[in-house]
Amino acid sequence: MAQRKSETIWKQTISDCKAGGLSARKWCEKSNVKLSTYKYWLTRLNKQKNSETDICWAEMKIPE
């Protein structure tokens, strides 16, 4: 069953795995999720999260 999950569903899936108290490998086996797919989404979402937090804007006042 090769069903494509949306980003929102994968965020929830990863959250469920982390809250499950098992290793990712064991949780994926139990939940019928391919470990390689889980790792792909974990990496992808972490990269997105990091790129969103890398930019920090600050106001600069230039003396006249």
Side-chain angles (χ1 to χ4, degrees):
M1 180 173 100
Q3 181 180 355
R4 186 175 181 110
K5 295 183 179 183
S6 70
E7 186 174 307
T8 304
I9 292 172
W10 273 104
K11 285 179 182 180
Q12 184 60 49
T13 301
I14 290 168
S15 177
D16 292 346
C17 175
K18 290 181 177 182
L22 299 171
S23 68
R25 179 180 304 278
K26 293 281 187 191
W27 186 90
C28 287
E29 288 173 5
K30 180 181 173 190
S31 302
N32 201 26
V33 174
K34 289 175 82 173
L35 182 62
S36 60
T37 306
Y38 173 85
K39 286 183 178 182
Y40 164 81
W41 277 100
L42 181 63
T43 302
R44 178 177 169 170
L45 294 173
N46 280 338
K47 283 182 182 178
Q48 276 184 354
K49 181 180 172 183
N50 289 340
S51 69
E52 291 171 0
T53 58
D54 284 349
I55 298 173
C56 181
W57 296 97
E59 182 179 346
M60 291 181 53
K61 295 184 179 183
I62 300 172
E64 296 180 17

